[in-house]
């Protein structure tokens, strides 16, 4: 089955930007609907953004207009461009299928703080 490795997180000031990457291996990626999810400390994991195999996207309201999900099927990479970051975006970010049927990876920590 597909294995996923997330990267690109870090510490950023409010208003800053980050680009997260998710590299897939071990299975077909091209026709798989994918998503980014996040889990803040003490909270349940939530969906942030999804993308179909044809490139249609959807976002939760708090990130609309600030985050952009995209995919490079040739390289088997899923991206999340995050702009205008806010402290409430602080969380561990994960990628997975949509719905999230695969085992969760280690995620990548995003911390937004001054």
């Amino acid at each position: 089955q597909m294995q996923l490795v997330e990267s690109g997180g870090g510490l950023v000031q409010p208003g800053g930007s980050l680009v997260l990457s998710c590299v897939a291996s071990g299975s077909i990626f091209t026709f798989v609907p994918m998503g980014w999810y996040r889990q803040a400390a003490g909270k349940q994991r939530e969906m942030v953004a999804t993308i179909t195999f044809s490139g249609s996207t959807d976002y939760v309201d708090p990130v609309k207009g600030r985050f952009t999900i995209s995919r490079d099927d040739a390289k088997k990479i899923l991206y999340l461009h995050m702009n205008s970051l806010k402290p409430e975006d602080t969380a561990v970010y994960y990628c997975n299928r949509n719905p999230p049927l695969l085992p969760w990876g280690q995620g990548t920590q995003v911390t937004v703080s001054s």
Side-chain angles (χ1 to χ4, degrees), residues 1 18 21-22 27 70 73 81-82 86 113:
Q1 65 179 6
L18 283 173
S21 299
C22 169
S27 181
S70 62
D73 288 341
H81 286 73
M82 305 187 295
K86 303 176 180 180
S113 175

Side-chain angles (χ1 to χ4, degrees), residues 19-85:
V19 179
L20 306 184
S21 299
C22 169
V23 178
S25 62
S27 181
I28 295 174
F29 179 80
T30 304
F31 299 107
V32 177
M34 297 293 295
W36 282 98
Y37 305 79
R38 66 186 180 186
Q39 186 169 22
K43 296 187 177 181
Q44 289 191 329
R45 189 159 14 214
E46 63 174 352
M47 185 274 287
V48 175
T50 62
I51 186 167
T52 67
F53 69 90
S54 61
S56 296
T57 59
D58 194 20
Y59 303 88
V60 292
D61 285 345
V63 309
K64 284 181 179 178
R66 301 189 297 120
F67 290 11
T68 302
I69 187 173
S70 62
R71 61 192 298 161
D72 185 331
D73 288 341
K75 296 181 179 178
K76 291 188 176 182
I77 302 177
L78 183 73
Y79 297 102
L80 186 68
H81 286 73
M82 305 187 295
N83 297 317
S84 302
L85 283 162

Side-chain angles (χ1 to χ4, degrees), residues 1-16:
Q1 65 179 6
M2 190 186 303
Q3 288 86 43
L4 302 166
V5 178
E6 304 93 343
S7 64
L11 173 63
V12 62
Q13 292 187 342

